[in-house]
Amino acid sequence: MVSRIRVNWYANMPQIIRTGLQGVVTIRFTIQRDGRITDLELLSSSGVPPYDYAARKAIELSSRSIPSPGLPESQRARNGDFYYNKELPGGERGPSERGA
């Protein structure tokens, strides 16, 4: 699921990223057992609408990409953090003009 979201995120990356403008977006979503993604909620905006849009769109486009019948519950809530031109909490750098 993470790799599918990443592919969709890169495909929707706004051109404004080339300016070096930084931001972090956090979105909560629920993965249903059939792979549908529901209940998207913006928990923390980057303050840059194109960044927020790209992160949300990446998750929406990943819906139904991977069914999750092995989930112990009928659904599972997740948070997704999207870093733009910023260092991730492990020292890696988020997508920038040079890519990830």
Side-chain angles (χ1 to χ4, degrees):
M1 176 66 76
V2 171
S3 62
R4 186 68 173 149
I5 291 172
R6 183 176 291 125
V7 165
N8 288 325
W9 183 38
Y10 287 176
N12 284 283
M13 195 67 61
Q15 291 298 316
I16 194 171
I17 197 164
R18 294 182 178 186
T19 67
L21 189 61
Q22 296 183 340
V24 178
V25 180
T26 301
I27 297 176
R28 177 176 296 254
F29 57 96
T30 302
I31 304 170
Q32 303 295 330
R33 289 185 80 146
D34 65 0
R36 285 180 306 118
I37 294 175
T38 61
D39 307 320
L40 273 81
E41 177 185 359
L42 182 67
L43 296 181
S44 175
S45 171
S46 65
V48 182
Y51 287 174
D52 296 351
Y53 175 82
R56 182 178 184 91
K57 194 68 174 170
I59 294 171
E60 288 173 348
L61 290 171
S62 300
S63 187
R64 289 195 184 262
S65 63
I66 300 175
S68 304
L71 288 176
E73 306 107 37
S74 63
Q75 56 190 14
R76 176 141 323 161
R78 297 278 186 225
N79 284 355
D81 296 317
F82 298 81
Y83 289 77
Y84 295 90
N85 293 315
K86 287 192 77 134
E87 193 170 298
L88 281 68
E92 288 184 52
R93 194 152 169 82
S96 65
E97 178 180 2
R98 298 176 312 279

